[in-house]
Amino acid sequence: MSNILDSKIPEGNLNEKWTKYKSSVHLVNPANKRSLEIIVVGSGLAGSAAAASLAEMGYKVKCFCFQDSPRRAHSIAAQGGINAAKNYQNDGDSTYRLFYDTIKGGDYRAREGNVHRLAEVSSSIIDQCVAQGVPFAREYGGLLSNRSFGGTQVQRTFYAAGQTGQQLLLGAYSALERQVGMGQVKMYSRHEMLDVVTIDGKARGIIARDLVTGQLERHFGHAVLLCSGGYGNVFYLSTNAMGSNVTAAWKAHKRGAYMANPCYTQIHPTCIPRSGDHQSKLTLMSESLRNDGRIWVPAKKEDAEALRNGTLRPTQIKEEDRDYYLERRYPAFGNLVPRDVASRAAKERCDAGFGVNSTGEAVYLDFFYNMTEKYGRTEATKKGIENPTAPQLKEFGAGVIKEKYGNLFDMYKQITGVDPYEEPMQIYPAVHYTMGGLWVDYNLMTTVPGLYALGEANFSDHGANRLGASALMQGLADGYFVIPYTIGDYLADEIRTKAISTDHPAFAATEKEVEDKIQKLLNIKGTKSVDHYHKRLGKIMWDECGMARNTEGLKSAIASIQQIKTEFWSNVRVPGEANEFNQELEKAGRVADFIELGELMCKDALERNESCGGHFREEYQTDEGEALRDDVNFAFVSAWENQEDGWKLHKEELKFENIKIAARSYK
Amino acid sequence: MKINLKVWRQKNNKAKGELKDYKVDHVSPDMSFLEMFDVLNEDLITKGDDPIAFDHDCREGICGSCSMHINGRPHGPLAGVTTCQLHMRSFKDGDTIVVEPWRAGAFPVNKDLSVDRSAFDRIIAAGGFISVNTGNAQDANNLPIGKEAADEAFMSAACIGCGACVAACKNASAMLFVSAKVSQLSLLPQGQPEAKMRVMAMVNQMDAEGFGSCTNTGACSAECPKGIDLSNIARMNREFFSANLTGK
């Protein structure tokens, strides 16, 4: 073990830490705020919320996004909902329960202090969003509606049909644009951050590329906030947007920010299975569907075979010949077990030969029972029909299902050509979220002073597995309610720092490095496209560092990735020039960073000799195939420092003072 | 399937553009329209040609990035679908498909099929918000909002800002986009205090950006991938008229 990372968790009782912190943290007076400049990279929930809130407070903000508008950040695609400990449903929810569920859901690999703060501010997020005009789902009485999500036994998820992320992001985006209109934020769309500039060890700005003209630009900031999202696209196929990338975080890592728990990846259980080699991305079907869908595969292998070669339809399989394996294995949580558990269970059945599509990698998500028996019957009763016929039950129930999940059902039909009102959906796990990210302390500051990471870009709140509807909560918590306080702690000491000219040698030197790297990529003029390497990397990552990992596989993955790196830098073909709109060049830079990250992820997975959350090492499981955690030896955060000759591991010990650490059971 | 393409190629904003012919073999009906472009681009790169630039990101119909004008229709032949959600099973083997960028003076071309839609951001910055600073909100359930109003506001808020409405309109009018935001906020009680200022500011900005006028043909709504209703425009006209009448 090497030097101890200081998480700066405030002293005191868990439920008083944040309150006390807020009352005692350094403040910056309004006059000084006007002369302090903050750079925000990324415009998703964390970035937009942070940029808007900091500008409202009086700071001068510059916000960057690679998309053509801040409204297009990938937060927009989140479907299911956002958690908050409001207890509006009177079902026993509380700040403590949300905190407890999140720590347990994360398989006891997250910090108590951070998670409790998240649970505390969750309530204010809903208030803020409603005030902005976010049209959440409501009951007829006009009050907000809730639903349940995996890994919890209360209804605390707020939602806007299957488009919650869109509505929350548009709320944050409108707050951001309001500040743009007022001149408090300068927005740089179609700009990609390509490096962090550090002066005397502190982050002082960035080098960005204007993606339309190709020109490199230098931007100064007293502090730099990375809100650049997760790195799931290292797997090539994921539910992330095509442009989602690790570049901003990775450049920060190269400049001294530690990367924490990079191997913790969330594989979401309910995605549309892949259909062929041309596949460019995978589409998620919201976890909320598991509220009303039952997951099954055939109990008999011959039925599975017949389904695979198309001679049998799922609706022809009798009830007793179906294996509702989640209900069988986890009676207490059933189809609502957390994501990692549900994903592994699907893989287990498919590996055992019960997969239901031609690739053998699909299970059913079936709505028929709830559509007819739950909703159909209730609707019939409402209508006063005592003995409804089967077609009536289906008709009534389909109406309710359409109201709840209409857009998801439409999307499924559009992509697969199969009508999910008539046949069960086919689903399979896919990479969805990365719990790992830049190491940050309680202030959300990385190991580089003045450089912060918010939202999915940091590692702090979800441990080894994230619960559904918690990503939106964390992104907005960091942006609206955490950074506005914690940044003052740093900036209070910066009020005497005058804006540094971008003619400073550090800016010139960093820009030169970026320019050289771009020229190097363009000059290789090899024979294979960027996507060729990305696909190869993705396959290795999925096979060896995906839902299940083992020593041998990880070692061979590391060797293969090093080989890909060598080939990439000697044979990639990047057409076009630097000073123009060049999408292949953008991709090339991102894939180059993914290759390096992939190696570190495998290294991290190899180092962690236990199974926890999204990290399942085959060597460490119970006789029943459940994950086997090792709290004696691995109750720590792995924080990796980039060094000339490789990576150095630092460990932050996780202390559980309020929760009794226990085996995580959903049985 | 084999597909023939005529694609708009334009090096940059200043250059002159033209339609160029391409052939794509081995197209699977399960491919999305954009995946067909991926295959074509891979081919172009291998041959040493310049790949076709186009905007895309989430590829699940929600980010609003993709923006292809396909056979004369924004987002192609299907109703209620963005380009990324259009699959090749909607076409026939041997079809010739013409693909152009959005055509509107207020959306200048960046390159090939990619256009600059920042005018939309500036319209939102002019007034498409509720002025509430972070930390000022009361408890969310202190303000009950009827389900019908909430649902209607949601329907308007579902706009993805792709610009298909502008591309579909013979006048390149942005009325549907602007009215969707105006409607969402005017249907909600939170949006009332600045309702009049909002509609005036947004309409003024829309005009300043060079979008055309509305003649109520309804092409915008017919081509909108999210089904934003034409009644939004009627509502905005009402709001605008009333704001003008009261001189605010």
Side-chain angles (χ1 to χ4, degrees):
Chain A
M1 190 159 329
S2 48
N3 71 314
I4 294 158
L5 292 159
D6 182 6
S7 60
K8 300 198 176 136
I9 304 282
E11 294 297 321
N13 290 333
L14 183 66
N15 54 10
E16 289 167 4
K17 285 179 196 287
W18 180 234
T19 312
K20 276 192 181 163
Y21 176 98
K22 285 193 291 182
S23 315
S24 56
V25 67
H26 292 141
L27 297 175
V28 180
N29 91 37
N32 286 330
K33 283 194 185 112
R34 283 195 286 275
S35 55
L36 288 170
E37 301 178 35
I38 299 171
I39 285 174
V40 178
V41 179
S43 65
L45 290 178
S48 285
S53 304
L54 294 169
E56 286 162 7
M57 294 163 76
Y59 292 110
K60 279 168 75 176
V61 178
K62 285 180 174 180
C63 182
F64 295 79
C65 70
F66 69 80
Q67 297 91 344
D68 74 327
S69 162
R71 67 179 292 154
R72 308 211 197 279
H74 192 54
S75 305
I76 199 114
Q79 298 171 353
I82 176 166
N83 288 328
K86 282 283 197 187
N87 194 30
Y88 280 164
Q89 302 307 319
N90 197 26
D91 55 2
D93 200 8
S94 63
T95 299
Y96 184 84
R97 274 195 200 275
L98 175 52
F99 156 74
Y100 177 84
D101 287 345
T102 308
I103 292 276
K104 179 187 172 192
D107 218 352
Y108 305 94
R109 290 292 174 264
R111 269 187 211 144
E112 281 193 343
N114 284 56
V115 175
H116 199 273
R117 175 177 66 187
L118 176 67
E120 281 176 65
V121 304
S122 65
S123 223
S124 307
I125 297 171
I126 304 303
D127 301 340
Q128 182 64 29
C129 295
V130 166
Q132 289 170 342
V134 170
F136 283 118
R138 288 176 184 269
E139 306 295 346
Y140 281 100
L143 303 181
L144 292 161
S145 176
N146 290 113
R147 57 187 172 202
S148 4
F149 254 62
T152 66
Q153 292 176 314
V154 294
Q155 290 191 298
R156 64 160 75 100
T157 305
F158 295 79
Y159 64 99
Q163 289 153 252
T164 317
Q166 179 199 26
Q167 294 308 317
L168 295 176
L169 182 61
L170 293 181
Y173 159 76
S174 66
L176 169 64
E177 289 297 339
R178 174 173 164 243
Q179 295 304 314
V180 172
M182 292 164 82
Q184 286 293 112
V185 175
K186 177 114 176 68
M187 187 69 219
Y188 294 84
S189 296
R190 289 201 199 264
H191 276 67
E192 181 164 28
M193 182 199 117
L194 291 179
D195 216 338
V196 183
V197 179
T198 56
I199 298 174
D200 300 329
K202 291 178 173 176
R204 290 301 190 193
I206 63 168
I207 303 297
R209 181 167 176 268
D210 179 330
L211 299 180
V212 177
T213 64
Q215 298 297 321
L216 294 181
E217 297 174 1
R218 305 173 186 179
H219 294 275
F220 163 80
H222 287 87
V224 176
L225 275 49
L226 302 183
C227 313
S228 47
Y231 48 82
N233 271 347
V234 68
F235 291 86
Y236 185 69
L237 285 182
S238 79
T239 66
N240 284 5
M242 301 299 286
S244 300
N245 67 80
V246 76
T247 290
W250 197 250
K251 300 304 185 196
H253 176 57
K254 292 290 209 47
R255 296 277 170 203
Y258 294 2
M259 198 74 187
N261 301 332
C263 79
Y264 290 166
T265 310
Q266 178 156 83
I267 317 273
H268 196 292
T270 56
C271 300
I272 300 178
R274 70 185 76 189
S275 69
D277 289 339
H278 53 78
Q279 193 102 24
S280 60
K281 76 152 278 165
L282 297 167
T283 303
L284 176 77
M285 286 284 105
S286 167
E287 175 169 334
S288 61
L289 293 171
R290 285 200 273 147
N291 274 307
D292 286 314
R294 300 176 70 197
I295 295 178
W296 64 276
V297 291
K300 296 181 189 160
K301 268 201 182 148
E302 57 269 30
D303 283 351
E305 233 160 75
L307 287 165
R308 282 200 290 271
N309 58 34
T311 53
L312 185 69
R313 306 304 311 174
T315 42
Q316 295 170 309
I317 298 180
K318 287 203 252 13
E319 195 60 26
E320 58 270 28
D321 291 334
R322 300 176 177 194
D323 176 14
Y324 296 92
Y325 57 87
L326 287 177
E327 296 172 25
R328 170 170 59 79
R329 285 177 67 177
Y330 308 99
F333 281 71
N335 293 295
L336 283 175
V337 290
R339 293 174 172 177
D340 54 337
V341 178
S343 292
R344 272 201 300 281
K347 178 176 159 55
E348 189 276 329
R349 283 292 83 191
C350 290
D351 287 352
F354 294 93
V356 299
N357 74 352
S358 58
T359 65
E361 291 192 337
V363 300
Y364 288 123
L365 177 61
D366 196 337
F367 300 89
F368 191 75
Y369 179 81
N370 279 343
M371 185 154 54
T372 53
E373 291 306 312
K374 184 169 154 193
Y375 297 119
R377 225 162 262 289
T378 311
E379 291 300 302
T381 310
K382 274 195 213 164
K383 291 179 204 289
I385 301 173
E386 275 187 28
N387 291 310
T389 60
Q392 275 179 319
L393 284 178
K394 196 174 158 214
E395 183 198 331
F396 299 156
V400 180
I401 292 282
K402 192 174 169 62
E403 167 95 357
K404 293 182 95 152
Y405 314 110
N407 67 320
L408 299 172
F409 274 52
D410 292 347
M411 200 199 294
Y412 181 87
K413 189 177 175 188
Q414 185 55 40
I415 292 173
T416 62
V418 175
D419 183 357
Y421 291 99
E422 300 298 329
E423 260 196 25
M425 286 183 179
Q426 289 187 358
I427 52 159
Y428 198 67
V431 173
H432 179 57
Y433 186 89
T434 49
M435 281 74 68
L438 292 170
W439 185 91
V440 291
D441 61 17
Y442 192 71
N443 295 325
L444 304 183
M445 199 194 280
T446 67
T447 45
V448 177
L451 183 65
Y452 293 78
L454 282 67
E456 191 179 348
N458 74 30
F459 86 104
S460 72
D461 293 352
H462 307 296
N465 173 58
R466 179 175 65 74
L467 289 182
S470 283
L472 304 185
M473 172 173 68
Q474 188 223 338
L476 289 179
D478 286 359
Y480 284 137
F481 296 107
V482 177
I483 198 71
Y485 290 94
T486 61
I487 204 167
D489 193 53
Y490 176 76
L491 291 179
D493 291 332
E494 291 289 331
I495 52 176
R496 280 172 207 88
T497 309
K498 293 263 182 316
I500 298 171
S501 161
T502 52
D503 293 332
H504 189 284
F507 275 97
T510 309
E511 188 191 279
K512 179 79 174 45
E513 283 180 44
V514 171
E515 200 181 333
D516 289 349
K517 193 148 194 178
I518 288 174
Q519 282 309 329
K520 195 172 165 191
L521 283 168
L522 289 166
N523 289 338
I524 298 168
K525 297 188 193 301
T527 59
K528 297 277 197 265
S529 71
V530 174
D531 280 355
H532 165 86
Y533 293 102
H534 197 178
K535 284 179 186 173
R536 275 173 61 189
L537 171 70
K539 182 158 174 22
I540 292 167
M541 293 303 292
W542 178 249
D543 289 345
E544 309 299 348
C545 198
M547 272 189 285
R549 299 127 184 222
N550 62 52
T551 307
E552 206 180 318
L554 289 166
K555 281 185 177 159
S556 89
I558 290 172
S560 310
I561 293 170
Q562 286 167 345
Q563 176 63 27
I564 290 180
K565 186 176 174 181
T566 311
E567 286 181 41
F568 177 89
W569 284 102
S570 57
N571 196 28
V572 74
R573 181 186 204 99
V574 184
E577 284 156 42
N579 289 333
E580 64 175 2
F581 190 103
N582 188 338
Q583 292 175 316
E584 283 298 307
L585 178 61
E586 294 166 27
K587 272 201 290 193
R590 293 169 193 165
V591 171
D593 293 334
F594 277 136
I595 294 173
E596 294 181 12
L597 167 75
E599 184 180 343
L600 179 61
M601 287 170 73
C602 293
K603 200 172 161 62
D604 185 45
L606 189 58
E607 193 78 24
R608 188 165 283 277
N609 292 321
E610 64 162 351
S611 293
C612 59
H615 170 66
F616 188 77
R617 279 279 299 275
E618 288 169 346
E619 303 95 321
Y620 306 98
Q621 55 180 309
T622 65
D623 294 340
E624 292 166 305
E626 304 295 338
L628 200 56
R629 226 175 46 225
D630 178 354
D631 295 324
V632 177
N633 296 304
F634 289 93
F636 62 80
V637 174
S638 302
W640 297 90
E641 180 187 3
N642 183 65
Q643 294 186 327
E644 285 279 310
D645 53 349
W647 286 283
K648 184 176 174 193
L649 177 64
H650 301 265
K651 298 174 181 177
E652 179 202 334
E653 193 191 337
L654 289 166
K655 292 191 205 89
F656 293 92
E657 293 163 344
N658 298 276
I659 282 187
K660 199 171 159 294
I661 193 161
R664 177 166 162 254
S665 169
Y666 293 93
K667 283 182 186 279
Chain B
M1 293 164 71
K2 283 191 169 98
I3 297 289
N4 302 304
L5 289 172
K6 288 182 182 296
V7 182
W8 186 259
R9 300 303 309 261
Q10 183 174 339
K11 195 163 170 50
N12 56 45
N13 185 244
K14 309 251 161 17
K16 201 167 169 285
E18 61 176 335
L19 283 172
K20 278 199 173 164
D21 292 336
Y22 299 93
K23 278 191 177 16
V24 195
D25 299 340
H26 312 296
V27 174
S28 146
D30 286 333
M31 272 182 192
S32 72
F33 199 77
L34 298 185
E35 284 167 350
M36 191 249 314
F37 265 76
D38 291 342
V39 171
L40 172 60
N41 272 346
E42 179 81 21
D43 195 35
L44 291 175
I45 293 164
T46 318
K47 282 197 289 199
D49 289 342
D50 196 19
I52 300 161
F54 62 94
D55 281 321
H56 64 104
D57 201 24
C58 78
R59 295 205 180 186
E60 39 187 282
I62 194 76
C63 75
S65 295
C66 60
S67 47
M68 292 185 185
H69 210 89
I70 300 163
N71 284 342
R73 293 184 64 183
H75 297 304
L78 299 184
V81 165
T82 53
T83 303
C84 63
Q85 297 284 280
L86 175 66
H87 285 69
M88 295 314 292
R89 65 179 89 94
S90 297
F91 297 91
K92 289 195 302 291
D93 188 23
D95 271 1
T96 298
I97 307 172
V98 182
V99 189
E100 300 161 274
W102 284 172
R103 289 176 298 181
F107 289 162
V109 171
N110 290 316
K111 183 180 181 182
D112 300 337
L113 303 172
S114 165
V115 297
D116 178 354
R117 288 168 286 191
S118 54
F120 274 8
D121 290 332
R122 291 188 290 274
I123 293 172
I124 299 296
F129 47 76
I130 287 170
S131 297
V132 52
N133 284 0
T134 303
N136 279 339
Q138 60 170 353
D139 185 89
N141 262 354
N142 281 355
L143 183 69
I145 300 171
K147 182 168 163 45
E148 280 170 22
D151 286 351
E152 212 178 340
F154 172 79
M155 299 288 278
S156 301
C159 167
I160 57 173
C162 65
C165 48
V166 175
C169 178
K170 63 189 164 75
N171 300 331
S173 166
M175 286 286 273
L176 193 66
F177 167 78
V178 180
S179 69
K181 187 48 76 178
V182 166
S183 288
Q184 177 205 340
L185 300 179
S186 71
L187 281 161
L188 297 170
Q190 307 93 302
Q192 296 312 311
E194 37 189 353
K196 288 180 173 152
M197 246 161 55
R198 174 183 309 118
V199 68
M200 297 290 280
M202 290 180 76
V203 168
N204 286 339
Q205 188 64 36
M206 173 179 82
D207 290 342
E209 296 290 347
F211 291 103
S213 302
C214 174
T215 50
N216 275 313
T217 65
C220 50
S221 181
E223 295 292 1
C224 172
K226 296 294 149 181
I228 302 293
D229 199 86
L230 205 57
S231 61
N232 286 290
I233 295 184
R235 188 180 294 105
M236 182 167 84
N237 282 334
R238 219 155 48 227
E239 295 275 327
F240 185 74
F241 185 59
S242 133
N244 261 321
L245 268 188
T246 52
K248 284 183 183 167

